[in-house]
Each structure stands twice: as structure tokens, then as C-alpha cells.
């Protein structure tokens, strides 16, 4: 027993170093300049970021173009294209001597660096480029073997009603871009970008000569008016104040931040392909999202032009929520700190929509938001533009806002709040988001209809319903969905969550009876019989669109309601219904035309379909095979798995799928290696389970070696026996071992309690 305990302790003690080392293994290598940068979607270039500033490393050795995005630089206009997140600008690095040089670059996730090397005719230029983790600056460190002259040019885009300026103060070069004083602009945005050089002089026209044996460092500092009111002065002052001592401090803080990040959890599964995308996905999302900063939009801070697809906004019918899903189980809840604010900021407007458009209490949200109470999804403001883009002159649909036939945008937004609450049982967090959750409960209490002994949902649509150039005026005939599986699942999620949060915080006890009644009497999820005689899920119970009522089986949109993030179905919750969903997943192969198409994830749903299949209990080896086929089919060299309909949400796909195979808890029961072939050796450290538990475990030679649990909040832990049919020994420090038996182990814990479990025989 002492040997086992020593082994476990040594393994856990090495977890932090192992995670950092594993991240270091999975450097992304580029041997040619990026081909799809700039873009309105995901760039294919090396990337670095600090969750606020994003650096996209574009261009060629003779003319590098570094694009600088920032999560808080928006054109706060209610229609896209034109409105949405905007491009602050960037830095051009011109070096005619290095034109057509050999290209080599590495994206290094362990510390968010981009190392690049360019060689031509015996001349070698090396660059180490990184966005400082806790400072508003980009650092570029140069080394050369022969003198090389560069020309550095800050730039910022023209047009789109932006106002630009450029100048210099001492040795600092600067540019600014502003959006202000434009009709319908809801708030101004200003950005300043300031450049300074250490270790070499810079001429009036931006020329710098690099010398061998001497390091030259270029810094680029960015501030917006959302960072601080003296945004321009601060950028210039910080750039001017750069020194070797200050840069050493910035570097030290940067490396320490990323070290702490990688120490939060660790996974090893013996599969280098999936581990590569696991660690790079965690890296890219950490580079996209940070506490205290504006939440990332669809493309994160990796913006390379204005008017990105869908305005780069917060799209509420899954795109905004999905990027965060792996953060909870990966023990990176800090990356979700910025998620709630845009939803809270829209509360007052959401109440107005509910009252005046639907005559209901609570909140009714359009499909797309931005920061600070901005709606990004208004219909075009003139009938002529509406006709050109959507085939109808009616731009007053729903008073000019895009709800697209769906009532679920706000309640969809509540899903991540529940996930975070269940993961942490943080009372302060629960009280912070409770007004939003309660407003959703108000709305759905009013909107649900009592009919023949059950609650039903009318006119909330499974898919977006809107005019377009194909259907023109015919789109209204598609309205009329009744009991959409998406809606039923999310509403059930809401009232299940309201009961738990209300009990935990002690609020609104008088309303729990009503919420429980809704939960108990909500309509059953619609199913039907397929042509081959099996029972399968239906999208909706009734619809004017006949195809919607066919039993098509579980798919991306229905997974959102039922499995992820809805979390109201599963093998523990209802094994009989779960068997139907499992059969549906087994038939995904029937629709495949070629490898990589499993789950129909080329358009959307990579981050939903694969972990959804895990949660219903589909064969783990088959999921791994299909996931690797999907990765091979469509990915960029920077580790970003791409799909047509969105961007940073795919960063959740691999981490969440793997985490769910190793550890599940969403049904109130902790299960280790629930969908993992135990003949595959694997281990994980400090993955987060619902109930505020941090769990570590390993499987080797077909058996679970141990389970270690830290209980942060002292809640009761329900653990499925990792050794079926065997007795279990629970060990705590300085206490006698306790024996358990049975299929499910019920373990009482105290706050910050740590215990380990082993097979007793």
C-alpha cells in the first residue's frame, strides 16, 4: 500500500512539469508563408496572444505583415458587414535583402511564442515574437549573423468610417484608429499602437540595422479607450519607457503566467495526434480569452481585416457558448470569467424585447450581441439593402432585430453559467449571474403553454428561419415549430438549474414548486419510427416543414438541447431514452460519403457532435478513429481545426472529447474512464468534475490504478465504482482507511478534503 501511495504522490507531483513539457512537444512547424492570411475567418498563420491582443504572423521573409487584433476594439454599429469587431492595425517589416529567403517558423504553445528563421545566401535572421501575457505589448527579439537592414512601418486600416492618425514622439512611432461620431454608433472605440526599438537606432523613416552578436528588440504597445481613458498617452509612454530591465520583467511575468496555466491540469493518452490538438487547442483558447478583458468573438483576437464573417460577434445560438465548454473540465474556469458580462449588459434591452414584442416578462435576446449592451444583428437599415441581401424589402421583421424564429438565445446563454456553477459551487458567482437566470425563468414561465396535462413550446424553431435570396417571401410559411427538441432540452436545463441554484443560494424558495412542476410536466422529447423500424429522435413534434417531423435522429442542434450544453439526458439520467440516442449516433455512418464526415461536422458542430457521442456512451475507439479522420480532413498548420460556420468554438472539440472520455460528472455522478478503452494506458491530473471536485486517475494494463479527489467545497461525492464488483479502499492522510463496496460509492467530504481510492483486493 505504501508503494502505491508513493507512486501516486510522485505522479501527481510531476503533473505540472509534465503538462508544460507536453505542451512543448507539440510545437507547430511552418515551412512556407501562410496562404490564407488575411481572411474574414480563421487565419492559417502562426499565432500568439494574451486573451486580449492577438498576433497573426503573416507575410513573407522580405515583407512580413504582423496583424494585431484586440478583443475590445469594435465598431459598435448594429448591422454587419460594417459593424462588429474591427482590426486595429499592424506592423510591416520590410527587408529586401531577405526577399525569397527560406521560410521557417514555429508556434510554441508552452509559452505562446513564435520562433522564426529566414535564410538566404548565408545571411540568417532569427526572430522570437510573443504577445506578453500580462502586459499590453508585443515583443520581437532579433538576432542575425550578418548585418541586415529592416524598415518598420506601423499601419492601421482606412475606411469603414474609421478616423486614423500617425506620428512620432522622440524615438516612438505611433498610429491611432477611432470610430466615433457616426450615426447609430452606440459607443466610441479608439486604439493606439506605439513602436519602440531597444538595442539599435531607428531612423525617421523607420529603418533599423541589425548587427551580428547583438540582440535588437522591437516592442509594439496597444491600448484602447476600454483599457484606460488616456489610451493614446499610455501607449506612447509605455513604449518610450521600454528598457532592458523592463523587458526582463515583462518576460519573467510572461513565462510565469504560462507556467501556471499549464500547471492547472494534465492529460496523457498515448496518442500523439490527439495530444497535439488537445494542447494546441488549449493554448489557442488561452491566447483568445482572459479574465478582466472583453470576451472573444467568433474569431477571437486573431482579426486580419474589418467586417469579418458574422461581424466576429457573440452569436448566441451556440457559437458564443461553445469555445468555453472545455475550460471547465480542463480546470481553466478563469478563461470563462469574461463570458457573462455581455449577457448581463443586455438584460435591460432583453426585457424590453420580451415586453413589447411578445408581451412576456423576462428576457428575449436576438441572435447576435457585442460588448456593452450592443446588438450586432439588426436587419439592414434600408429596404433597398434588405432586398439586395435577403430578397425582401421588409426590414421591420421583429421590429428590425434578428431573432430568426428562435426564442432560445437567452436561455442558451444560461447554459455556460450552469456549467460553471456546477463545476465550482461558487456562491458569489451564482449570485452574480442569478438576475440573468431568473429573467430567463420569468420568460419561460410565461411563454410555456399548458395543454392536455403538459407544458408545450410553440413557435420556437429548431433551425433559424429567415428570408434569404432563395426563399424570398416564402420564409414565413416555415414558421410554426411545436416542441422542438432543442427548446425542450434547454428549457428543462433551465428549470433543473434554477432549482439547484435557488437551493444553494437560498433565493426564491416560494417559486421552486412552480419550477419543479414545469420540470416534471414538460413535454417528452419527440421520437418516431424510422423506415427500418427503429425508434429515433425527431427534431420537432410538429412543424409546417414536413421534413422536420421525420425521425432523423440525434444531431448537432438536438445535442445542444439534450446533451451539450443542455445536459438533461444520458445513461444515468434515463438509460432507456439514452439507448435511443446511442442508436442514433451509431447510424451517423449511414450518411458519410468519405472519411472525416462522421457527425456532419464540416459546416458546424465539431465541438458538439464528438463529445455528444461520448456522453451517450458510443464506442470510444470508434470516436477516436473518426475524430482523427476529421482532423486530417480539414485543419491548419497552427493546430486550428476549421469548419465553415465558425471559429474559436472548434478549440473546445478535442479537449472536451478527450476529457469526457476520461472523466464524466454532468449527471451528478463522477465516472472515471467511462468511454475509454482500458487497454489503452492513460492518465490525467486535476480535471474538474461537477460538485467542485478535482480528480486525478490512471489506467494501465487494463485496470484503473488509483483515483485521487480534492473536494473544494466539501460536497457529497457520488462515484461510480472504478473497479466493478470489487471492494474499494479510501485513504486520507492521518486517518484509518475506509472500505466501500457496490456499484456507486457515496462519499462524504469536507472543504479542501483530499483522498485516494484503490481496489482493496
Amino acid at each position: 500500500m505504501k508503494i502505491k501511495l508513493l507512486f501516486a504522490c510522485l505522479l501527481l507531483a510531476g503533473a505540472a512539469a509534465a503538462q508544460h513539457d507536453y505542451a512543448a512537444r507539440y510545437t507547430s512547424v511552418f515551412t512556407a508563408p501562410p496562404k490564407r492570411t488575411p481572411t474574414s475567418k480563421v487565419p492559417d498563420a502562426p499565432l500568439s496572444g494574451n486573451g486580449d491582443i492577438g498576433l497573426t504572423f503573416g507575410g513573407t521573409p522580405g515583407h512580413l505583415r504582423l496583424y494585431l487584433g484586440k478583443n475590445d476594439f469594435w465598431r459598435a454599429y448594429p448591422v454587419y458587414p460594417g459593424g462588429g469587431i474591427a482590426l486595429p492595425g499592424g506592423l510591416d517589416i520590410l527587408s529586401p535583402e531577405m526577399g525569397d529567403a527560406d521560410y521557417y517558423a514555429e508556434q510554441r504553445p508552452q509559452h505562446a511564442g513564435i520562433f522564426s528563421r529566414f535564410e538566404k545566401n548565408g545571411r540568417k535572421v532569427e526572430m522570437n515574437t510573443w504577445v506578453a501575457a500580462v502586459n499590453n505589448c508585443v515583443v520581437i527579439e532579433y538576432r542575425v549573423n550578418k548585418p541586415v537592414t529592416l524598415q518598420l512601418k506601423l499601419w492601421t486600416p482606412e475606411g469603414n468610417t474609421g478616423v486614423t492618425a500617425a506620428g512620432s514622439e522622440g524615438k516612438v512611432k505611433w498610429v491611432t484608429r477611432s470610430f466615433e461620431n457616426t450615426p447609430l454608433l452606440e459607443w466610441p472605440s479608439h486604439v493606439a499602437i506605439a513602436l519602440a526599438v531597444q538595442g539599435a537606432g531607428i531612423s525617421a523613416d523607420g529603418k533599423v540595422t541589425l548587427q551580428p552578436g547583438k540582440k535588437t528588440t522591437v516592442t509594439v504597445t496597444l491600448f484602447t479607450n476600454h483599457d484606460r481613458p488616456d489610451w493614446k498617452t499610455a501607449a506612447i509612454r509605455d513604449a518610450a519607457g521600454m528598457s532592458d530591465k523592463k523587458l526582463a520583467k515583462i518576460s519573467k511575468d510572461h513565462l510565469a503566467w504560462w507556467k501556471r496555466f499549464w500547471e492547472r491540469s494534465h492529460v496523457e493518452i498515448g496518442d500523439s495526434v490527439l495530444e497535439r490538438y488537445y494542447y494546441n487547442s488549449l493554448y489557442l483558447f488561452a491566447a483568445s480569452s482572459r479574465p478582466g478583458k472583453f470576451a472573444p468573438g467568433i474569431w477571437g483576437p486573431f482579426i486580419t481585416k474589418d467586417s469579418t464573417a458574422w461581424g466576429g460577434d457573440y452569436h448566441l445560438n451556440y457559437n458564443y457558448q461553445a469555445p468555453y465548454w472545455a475550460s471547465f473540465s480542463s480546470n481553466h474556469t478563469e478563461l470563462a470569467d469574461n463570458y457573462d458580462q455581455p449577457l448581463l449588459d443586455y438584460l435591460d434591452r432583453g426585457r424590453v424585447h420580451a415586453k413589447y414584442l411578445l408581451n412576456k416578462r423576462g428576457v428575449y435576446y436576438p441572435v447576435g450581441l457585442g460588448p456593452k449592451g450592443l446588438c450586432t444583428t439588426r436587419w439592414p437599415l434600408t429596404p433597398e439593402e434588405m432586398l439586395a441581401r435577403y430578397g425582401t424589402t421588409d426590414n421591420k421583421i421583429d421590429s428590425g432585430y434578428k431573432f430568426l424564429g428562435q426564442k432560445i438565445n437567452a436561455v442558451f446563454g444560461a447554459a455556460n453559467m450552469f456549467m460553471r456553477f456546477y463545476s465550482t459551487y461558487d456562491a458569489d458567482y451564482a449570485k452574480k449571474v442569478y438576475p440573468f437566470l431568473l429573467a430567463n425563468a420569468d420568460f419561460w414561465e410565461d411563454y410555456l403553454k399548458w395543454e392536455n396535462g403538459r407544458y408545450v413550446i410553440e413557435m420556437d424553431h429548431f433551425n433559424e428561419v429567415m428570408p434569404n435570396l432563395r426563399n424570398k417571401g416564402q420564409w414565413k410559411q416555415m414558421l410554426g415549430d411545436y416542441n422542438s427538441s432543442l427548446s425542450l432540452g434547454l428549457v428543462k436545463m433551465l428549470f433543473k438549474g434554477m432549482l439547484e441554484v435557488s437551493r444553494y443560494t437560498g433565493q426564491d424558495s416560494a417559486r421552486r414548486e412552480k419550477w419543479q412542476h414545469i420540470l416534471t410536466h414538460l413535454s417528452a422529447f419527440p421520437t418516431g419510427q424510422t423506415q427500418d423500424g427503429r425508434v429515433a429522435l425527431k427534431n420537432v413534434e410538429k412543424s409546417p416543414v414536413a421534413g422536420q417531423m421525420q425521425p432523423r435522429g440525434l444531431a448537432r442542434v438536438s445535442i445542444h438541447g439534450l446533451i451539450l450544453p443542455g445536459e438533461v439526458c444520458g445513461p444515468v439520467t434515463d438509460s432507456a431514452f439514452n439507448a435511443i440516442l446511442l442508436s442514433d449516433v451509431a447510424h451517423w455512418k449511414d450518411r458519410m460519403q468519405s472519411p472525416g464526415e462522421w457527425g456532419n461536422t464540416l459546416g458546424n458542430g465539431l465541438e458538439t457532435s464528438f463529445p455528444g457521442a461520448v456522453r451517450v456512451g458510443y464506442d470510444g475507439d470508434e470516436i477516436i478513429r473518426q475524430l482523427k479522420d476529421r482532423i486530417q480532413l480539414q485543419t491548419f498548420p497552427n493546430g486550428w481545426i476549421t469548419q465553415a460556420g465558425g471559429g474559436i468554438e472548434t478549440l473546445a472539440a478535442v479537449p472536451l472529447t478527450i476529457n469526457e472520455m476520461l472523466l464524466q460528472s454532468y449527471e451528478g455522478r463522477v465516472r472515471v474512464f467511462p468511454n475509454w478503452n482500458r487497454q489503452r494506458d492513460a492518465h490525467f491530473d486535476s480535471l474538474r468534475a461537477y460538485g467542485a471536485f478535482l480528480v486525478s486517475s490512471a489506467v494501465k494494463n487494463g485496470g484503473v490504478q488509483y483515483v485521487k479527489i480534492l473536494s473544494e467545497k466539501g460536497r457529497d461525492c457520488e462515484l461510480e465504482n472504478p473497479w466493478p464488483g470489487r471492494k474499494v479502499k479510501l485513504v486520507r492522510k492521518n486517518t484509518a482507511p475506509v472500505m466501500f463496496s457496490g456499484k456507486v460509492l457515496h462519499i462524504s467530504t469536507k472543504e479542501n478534503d483530499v483522498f485516494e481510492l484503490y481496489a482493496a483486493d
Side-chain angles (χ1 to χ4, degrees), residues 624-684:
I624 287 174
R625 187 178 73 82
Q626 296 289 357
L627 180 55
K628 291 167 79 170
D629 282 349
R630 173 63 177 82
I631 289 170
Q632 185 176 4
L633 186 65
Q634 196 168 295
T635 190
F636 284 158
N638 55 25
W640 206 319
I641 310 169
T642 59
Q643 59 188 19
I648 63 172
E649 69 260 31
T650 68
L651 302 178
V654 175
L656 186 59
T657 299
I658 298 304
N659 290 352
E660 292 290 325
M661 297 178 86
L662 303 178
L663 176 72
Q664 287 182 26
S665 59
Y666 74 99
E667 294 182 275
R669 180 181 298 173
V670 177
R671 304 164 66 212
V672 296
F673 301 105
N675 279 69
W676 189 259
N677 179 348
R678 296 189 178 185
Q679 299 307 312
R680 292 174 176 254
D681 291 356
H683 80 259
F684 62 89

Side-chain angles (χ1 to χ4, degrees), residues 73-86:
F73 189 64
W74 285 64
R75 182 171 184 259
Y77 188 72
V79 182
Y80 58 74
I85 196 166

Side-chain angles (χ1 to χ4, degrees), residues 439-477:
N440 274 278
D442 289 341
F443 178 84
W444 286 99
E445 281 186 39
D446 285 7
Y447 193 79
L448 290 170
K449 182 178 180 181
W450 181 253
E451 185 177 274
N452 298 323
R454 62 175 183 158
Y455 290 100
V456 302
I457 301 175
E458 299 177 332
M459 293 295 288
D460 189 21
H461 294 82
F462 185 81
N463 291 313
E464 297 176 350
V465 183
M466 59 184 287
N468 57 49
L469 294 175
R470 295 186 303 276
N471 64 39
K472 298 185 179 180
Q474 306 302 309
W475 68 278
K476 292 183 180 179
Q477 299 174 18

